[in-house]
Amino acid sequence: MMPDMPSETSSSIFVLFGAACLLLIIATIGGEFLRRRISPTGTHPTVETYVTRLHSWWAMVFLLSIALLVGPAGVTLLFAFASFAALREFLTLTRKTKADHWALIAAFYVVFPLQFLFVWWGNTALFSIFIPVYAFLVLPILSVLRGAGNNFLSRISETQWGLMICVFCVSHVPALVTLDIEGSTGRSVLLIAFLVLVVQLGDLAEYYTGRRIGKRRIAKSVSPKTRQGVICGAAFAAFNGGVLFWITPFAPWEAALIAVTLYLVGVGGSLVLAAIKADRGVKNWGHLIPGQGGFVDQMDSVVVAAPIFYHLARFFYAS
């Protein structure tokens, strides 16, 4: 079972919440200044998207802070809800036939809840292999029993990868709470704040600088991300990681190095999901979050980085 959260951790969450609000206030003032100077009529797409994203970030900071304060139960419920919504968005864009109905039912109502139940129990052996091994083997069997049909391999692969990205990867965010790290008992929930902040703030820095000074795209066929933007994002992620080392069991230089690693892995994941969107001919996975698209659009970098962060923390720091 997940550990309870001590009052010291609650105090740290309030400090983080205050700091995040301060940064958002500064960013919001800066965004409004840019809007008045560059986009007074609301026609500059980069500035308008940047401002809209900041507005969405206010809501996300409040939701994440409340979940962290509630503790392991709040974090698990928040990311379980996000996982379910993301899986629905992902599979909505895939090609399915009647032969896939059993596999889809199993994915939503068996595999998804069991994965988060294993995380809640802290059963690392099960939640680490349940989807990439057992679900990958069983779901094709359920489909083929109803008839393979055309494009069987691509159809079942889409379901499998939907589960990998939207359930398996997302479940590693609340799984961070289950880690038993010496000297950080009851503070593992703060690792979630570290992960989200360094990756998302790096993305925000990349988005603005990449469109202002960026020249060479790193994957021009699928994403507007540029080398200059990614370098600025990585530098900002490293800076934030070093600043936030106090909420982790890492030394400042370790926190900065891990932050850069997580950010770059997140960039790679974002590019992969952008390629999938391009293949499907859509701009966003959904429309639930203003200025950000759907849950998959917002969570792409974080969820791909989450398993990497979990295993780095588990193998090098957990007892």
Side-chain angles (χ1 to χ4, degrees), residues 139-155:
L139 292 182
I141 296 174
L142 293 177
S143 288
V144 79
L145 286 175
R146 299 203 65 189
N150 296 327
N151 301 312
F152 175 75
L153 180 59
S154 62
R155 292 193 340 261

Side-chain angles (χ1 to χ4, degrees), residues 260-283:
V260 171
T261 302
L262 297 179
Y263 170 74
L264 293 177
V265 171
V267 168
S270 178
L271 292 175
V272 169
L273 288 168
I276 296 174
K277 286 191 292 185
D279 180 65
R280 287 293 179 266
V282 297
K283 182 179 180 181

Side-chain angles (χ1 to χ4, degrees), residues 40-53:
T41 60
T43 56
H44 195 287
T46 300
V47 174
E48 293 306 313
T49 302
Y50 176 75
V51 172
T52 305
R53 287 191 172 197

Side-chain angles (χ1 to χ4, degrees), residues 103-120:
L104 290 174
I105 291 171
F108 277 100
Y109 301 109
V110 178
V111 177
F112 160 73
L114 282 178
Q115 177 70 9
F116 277 88
L117 188 60
F118 295 149
V119 170
W120 177 259

Side-chain angles (χ1 to χ4, degrees), residues 140-216:
I141 296 174
L142 293 177
S143 288
V144 79
L145 286 175
R146 299 203 65 189
N150 296 327
N151 301 312
F152 175 75
L153 180 59
S154 62
R155 292 193 340 261
I156 197 63
S157 296
E158 289 168 347
T159 303
Q160 291 169 328
W161 277 102
L163 283 170
M164 278 295 294
I165 294 170
C166 302
V167 181
F168 181 76
C169 289
V170 175
S171 70
H172 279 74
V173 180
L176 290 166
V177 182
T178 67
L179 293 174
D180 182 15
I181 300 176
E182 186 177 355
S184 298
T185 303
R187 289 178 59 84
S188 294
V189 69
L190 293 173
L191 293 177
I192 296 174
F194 179 84
L195 168 66
V196 173
L197 286 171
V198 298
V199 174
Q200 293 283 48
L201 289 176
D203 280 347
L204 197 61
E206 180 278 324
Y207 178 83
Y208 185 72
T209 59
R211 286 154 182 77
R212 294 289 292 175
I213 64 173
K215 296 179 180 179
R216 299 191 63 181

